[in-house]
């Protein structure tokens, strides 16, 4: 794409001006065509300074999702090799599933600037206004179905680590995979198996993170927060996505190599309420006990009056001792 070729040329000369003439010679297009593309890039959020004699200088890339910027930021080898970025989708998980059914390769990433009917677990709604990171990855890992369920744990750790590295911010994980800051949910994860877990072994991993928008854009009843609310500024969504994909790739490779202990330790270090009295909701039933840890399958271990019991993520919900969400 001409626009991207112009960007490559400008990026090769950081903080320097590249003349319209040299761009035109390199890319074999007219200077008018270049000018036109520069206007489009500016509309996409690139800050490009143009000076009649000197040419063009790339000052700043956009914080909003942009395929070119994301590709520059990516350091993963398989995840993100192919990127599908749309302004709006019903749900990135649904789109990723379609791609997977059409034979989409391991590591394809689907992103939308906003979602019109984002989904949570158990058909719950997920609010996804623009400014958030709404991303799904097609994974075809070399894992058994039992081990594949650990990928959602890996995704939690990948997101928490990215927040710590990029923003020096520590968020907690509420079992199994809600990401919480000061008692408020900032991100959620939705892992879905496509078809049968047979030779094809396809998992769609959806990650939703409230990033560059004020909390008011979410429904009034939600116990939610956004990164913008916490940092009081916007951040680069492309760098955040790239960092998460990199972290996730490492975790998936570790799981494929049967190295689960490191992931379990990382997960436990970030777990909320570990060692505390909690309540487990199973339908109408409430079970009380001490949150002791997670099993090798990611199930929650609860020490109750009747001994230590394990609960899998599909069947129960975790609440604080007072019964609150956290
Ligand atoms: C989740 O479900 O937390 C998984 C959310 C996954 C969203 C991503 S976005 C990219 C990909 N494409 C999709 O369509 N989905 C994935 P769950 O644990 O069921 O939580 C859902 C509950 O969280 C809702 O019932 C609300 O109470 C609350 N909620 C909805 N939107 C929220 C938001 N933006 N921030 C915080 N909480 C929210």
């Amino acid at each position: 794409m001409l626009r991207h070729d112009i960007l490559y040329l400008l990026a090769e000369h950081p903080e320097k001006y590249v003349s319209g003439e040299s761009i035109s010679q390199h890319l074999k297009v007219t200077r008018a065509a270049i000018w036109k593309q520069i206007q489009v890039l500016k509309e996409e959020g690139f800050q490009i300074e143009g000076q009649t004699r000197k040419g063009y200088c790339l000052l700043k890339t956009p914080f909003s999702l942009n395929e070119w910027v994301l590709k520059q930021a990516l350091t993963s080898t398989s995840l993100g090799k192919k990127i599908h970025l749309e302004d709006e989708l019903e749900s990135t998980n649904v789109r990723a599933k379609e791609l997977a059914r059409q034979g989409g390769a391991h590591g394809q990433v689907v992103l939308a600037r906003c979602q019109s009917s984002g989904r949570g677990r158990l058909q719950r709604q997920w609010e996804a206004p623009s400014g958030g990171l709404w991303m799904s990855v097609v994974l075809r890992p070399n894992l058994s179905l039992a081990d594949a369920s650990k990928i959602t744990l890996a995704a939690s750790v990948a997101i928490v680590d990215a927040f710590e590295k990029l923003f020096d911010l520590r968020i907690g994980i509420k079992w199994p995979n809600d990401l919480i800051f000061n008692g408020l949910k900032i991100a959620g994860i939705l892992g879905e198996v496509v078809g049968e877990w047979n030779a094809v072994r396809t998992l769609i991993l959806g990650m939703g993170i409230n990033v560059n928008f004020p909390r008011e854009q979410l429904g009034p009843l939600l116990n939610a927060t956004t990164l913008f609310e916490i940092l009081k500024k916007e951040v680069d969504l492309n760098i955040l996505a790239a960092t998460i994909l990199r972290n996730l790739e490492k975790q998936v490779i570790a799981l494929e190599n049967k190295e689960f202990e490191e992931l379990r330790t990382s997960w436990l270090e970030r777990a909320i309420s570990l060692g505390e009295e909690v309540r487990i909701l199973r339908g109408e039933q409430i079970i009380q006990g001490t949150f002791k840890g997670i099993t090798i399958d990611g199930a929650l271990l609860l020490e109750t009056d009747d001994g230590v019991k394990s609960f899998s993520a599909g069947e129960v919900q975790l609440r604080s001792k007072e019964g609150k969400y956290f």
Side-chain angles (χ1 to χ4, degrees):
M1 203 194 283
L2 177 57
R3 223 152 50 236
H4 289 177
D5 292 338
I6 295 173
L7 283 172
Y8 284 120
L9 279 180
L10 296 182
E12 263 175 32
H13 306 90
E15 290 164 44
K16 295 225 168 65
Y17 282 85
V18 183
S19 72
E21 195 171 314
S22 82
I23 300 177
S24 130
Q25 274 172 7
H26 261 92
L27 303 178
K28 303 194 173 39
V29 288
T30 65
R31 290 174 67 169
I34 294 164
W35 184 86
K36 218 168 148 187
Q37 293 304 315
I38 296 274
Q39 304 316 306
V40 179
L41 287 170
K42 283 184 178 171
E43 274 162 31
E44 286 182 7
F46 287 88
Q47 272 183 32
I48 298 172
E49 175 122 323
Q51 287 202 4
T52 334
R53 280 168 200 283
K54 294 184 182 162
Y56 300 104
C57 175
L58 176 60
L59 299 177
K60 205 165 165 292
T61 58
F63 279 2
S64 55
L65 288 171
N66 179 282
E67 197 175 331
W68 187 86
V69 183
L70 178 54
K71 284 208 165 130
Q72 297 300 107
L74 276 175
T75 53
S76 43
T77 45
S78 58
L79 302 196
K81 235 183 173 175
K82 194 151 186 207
I83 291 165
H84 305 260
L85 168 62
E86 306 283 344
D87 261 341
E88 179 174 331
L89 282 174
E90 279 183 19
S91 151
T92 54
N93 260 40
V94 170
R95 183 79 192 99
K97 246 186 261 176
E98 286 166 7
L99 289 171
R101 289 208 182 94
Q102 293 157 13
H106 172 79
Q108 290 204 9
V109 172
V110 178
L111 293 141
R113 296 198 173 91
C114 68
Q115 295 181 125
S116 54
S117 61
R119 299 192 325 181
R121 291 173 299 152
L122 308 169
Q123 304 302 319
R124 285 191 281 252
Q125 267 187 28
W126 182 260
E127 298 199 25
S130 62
L133 184 61
W134 322 121
M135 169 162 83
S136 299
V137 191
V138 177
L139 294 171
R140 298 199 193 277
N142 189 12
L143 294 172
S144 68
L145 184 55
D147 283 346
S149 62
K150 296 180 183 113
I151 287 185
T152 53
L153 300 177
S156 304
V157 173
I159 295 172
V160 172
D161 283 353
F163 268 56
E164 198 157 331
K165 178 173 174 224
L166 298 176
F167 317 122
D168 207 9
L169 193 73
R170 229 181 134 79
I171 52 177
I173 307 173
K174 176 185 162 266
W175 181 86
N177 44 41
D178 282 349
L179 300 169
I180 307 282
F181 182 81
N182 273 348
L184 302 169
K185 183 155 165 177
I186 190 163
I189 292 158
L190 174 66
E192 294 180 285
V193 170
V194 181
E196 297 286 313
W197 193 261
N198 47 29
V200 189
R201 300 177 164 211
T202 307
L203 184 86
I204 304 299
L205 183 67
M207 291 167 276
I209 311 178
N210 302 330
V211 190
N212 292 336
F213 59 87
R215 196 237 157 281
E216 292 78 57
Q217 297 208 8
L218 299 171
L221 297 173
L222 289 184
N223 261 323
T225 191
T226 73
L227 192 63
F228 181 77
E229 219 52 62
I230 300 165
L231 299 181
K232 310 281 181 235
K233 62 170 187 182
E234 295 197 355
V235 301
D236 191 331
L237 284 175
N238 302 289
I239 293 185
L240 178 58
T243 309
I244 292 169
L245 289 171
R246 165 82 173 164
N247 292 350
L248 185 66
E249 179 169 281
K250 277 200 223 153
Q251 302 279 3
V252 173
I253 293 170
L255 286 176
E256 286 180 329
N257 291 333
K258 306 243 172 290
E259 296 157 14
F260 177 57
E261 278 317 312
E262 209 177 305
L263 171 62
R264 174 155 62 176
T265 311
S266 309
W267 191 95
L268 286 171
E269 272 170 18
R270 295 152 176 87
I272 297 175
S273 295
L274 188 66
E276 293 174 12
E277 284 289 304
V278 293
R279 289 178 176 186
I280 302 284
L281 305 187
R282 183 157 55 188
E284 300 288 292
Q285 192 191 5
I286 297 175
I287 307 156
Q288 208 150 317
T290 310
F291 178 12
K292 294 303 264 187
I294 52 171
T295 66
I296 191 116
D297 298 322
L300 178 139
L301 284 171
L302 192 74
E303 187 170 42
T304 67
D305 291 343
D306 304 333
V308 177
K309 294 188 172 165
S310 72
F311 298 90
S312 77
E315 54 165 353
V316 296
Q317 289 184 340
L318 175 65
R319 291 284 185 269
S320 67
K321 193 180 163 197
E322 298 78 34
K324 281 193 296 202
Y325 183 66
F326 274 103

